[in-house]
Amino acid sequence: MRAGIENFIFDLDGTLVDSLPGIEDSVRFAVSSPIPPLRSLIGPPIRSILRCLEPDLSELDLDGLTKRFRKAYDSTGWRNTILQSGTTEVLAELHKRGRRVFLATNKPARPTTKILAMLSIGQYFAGVSTCDSRTPVFASKTEMLRALLQCHSLDPTRCLMVGDTVEDYVSAVETGMDALIVSNGYGRPLEIPAECRLETLTDLLSLLDGPETRSKQMPGQVFEQAISQFARGEIT
């Protein structure tokens, strides 16, 4: 981790919380048929997840499927969210040390607000950015992070993105931030450079007082390959 990090920007699903049970229940309600395990699909907005499950649907039918999911998830599905191990410990320690903490999530504002309140972690965040924090909604997490940096006048060289997917990593690098990716989330950690991976969230604490041990960004060739694969949908 680069020296001088003052601001920590966290992803939500898979990084700070485990929302898989509620998402799977709500997807089952939406599609009304058996579904495969969704762990590897979690991360992008729900519309993208549903498109992966139903690739032949028209945009209109996909709209209906998304609305059915939102009805189920916003009413009861979000209640099945639990904290990832170490979440409260890490957020409390960063707060104690005077670091500013932010949230950037592809989840909409309504369930995000409810989850943060239910799990008693909302007080730690100096700012929260969701997929619908603006109209039109953010087209990518990179857009979201750029808007967050601008809104709070943050220097990207003093920010660290902590997530669990390639999208989180790519978005951070594209905005000039360092990134660390937890290996126990929903992404594919082996597709992230080893020096940018954490086994668990609590491993972040051991880096706070240590020397600079993380590279600013992935080597050019590897980064370009990851961008290309991400754009083609080969990695999520």
Side-chain angles (χ1 to χ4, degrees):
M1 185 171 70
R2 182 178 8 183
I5 296 297
E6 299 174 348
N7 309 293
F8 291 76
I9 303 174
F10 288 90
D11 169 59
L12 185 62
D13 293 337
T15 304
L16 298 179
V17 304
D18 182 1
S19 52
L20 182 60
I23 291 175
E24 286 190 329
D25 287 346
S26 300
V27 169
R28 289 190 190 96
F29 174 83
V31 302
S32 302
S33 62
I35 62 171
L38 298 183
R39 174 168 288 274
S40 64
L41 298 179
I42 303 298
I46 188 60
R47 187 181 182 88
S48 299
I49 296 173
L50 293 172
R51 170 59 75 194
C52 289
L53 296 175
E54 300 286 351
D56 297 327
L57 282 185
S58 68
E59 290 301 309
L60 184 61
D61 288 339
L62 189 60
D63 287 342
L65 212 60
T66 303
K67 289 178 181 178
R68 282 175 58 82
F69 172 87
R70 290 258 66 94
K71 179 180 179 180
Y73 190 79
D74 291 354
S75 60
T76 60
W78 66 273
R79 297 181 184 276
N80 294 324
T81 305
I82 61 174
L83 287 171
Q84 293 281 54
S85 176
T87 292
T88 302
E89 177 187 358
V90 169
L91 295 178
E93 182 63 23
L94 291 174
H95 181 75
K96 178 182 176 181
R97 293 175 181 234
R99 311 295 176 90
R100 291 214 292 172
V101 178
F102 299 86
L103 186 72
T105 174
N106 284 324
K107 194 182 292 296
R110 184 177 178 185
T112 296
T113 301
K114 292 178 179 179
I115 288 168
L116 296 182
M118 178 182 72
L119 300 178
S120 300
I121 58 174
Q123 72 271 20
Y124 294 114
F125 298 104
V128 174
S129 185
T130 64
C131 66
D132 57 352
S133 288
R134 73 168 192 192
T135 302
V137 300
F138 290 110
S140 68
K141 207 157 201 177
T142 298
E143 281 190 5
M144 186 189 301
L145 291 181
R146 286 175 177 157
L148 184 66
L149 292 172
Q150 182 177 15
C151 178
H152 296 278
S153 301
L154 302 178
D155 178 354
T157 66
R158 294 187 175 274
C159 295
L160 176 73
M161 176 71 195
V162 183
D164 72 317
T165 65
V166 171
E167 180 193 24
D168 293 326
Y169 185 86
V170 169
S171 299
V173 174
E174 287 182 335
T175 52
M177 286 188 277
D178 276 355
L180 292 175
I181 303 301
V182 295
S183 298
N184 62 337
Y186 301 142
R188 299 179 181 133
L190 294 181
E191 293 169 349
I192 302 296
E195 67 272 17
C196 298
R197 298 199 300 259
L198 296 172
E199 287 302 314
T200 66
L201 189 62
T202 52
D203 290 337
L204 178 63
L205 297 180
S206 66
L207 300 177
L208 293 180
D209 296 319
E212 180 179 351
T213 58
R214 306 282 170 161
S215 61
K216 180 177 180 180
Q217 59 185 19
M218 112 174 34
Q221 184 177 2
V222 179
F223 176 61
E224 291 174 4
Q225 181 181 6
I227 290 286
S228 178
Q229 289 179 290
F230 182 71
R232 295 195 302 268
E234 295 175 6
I235 53 179
T236 59

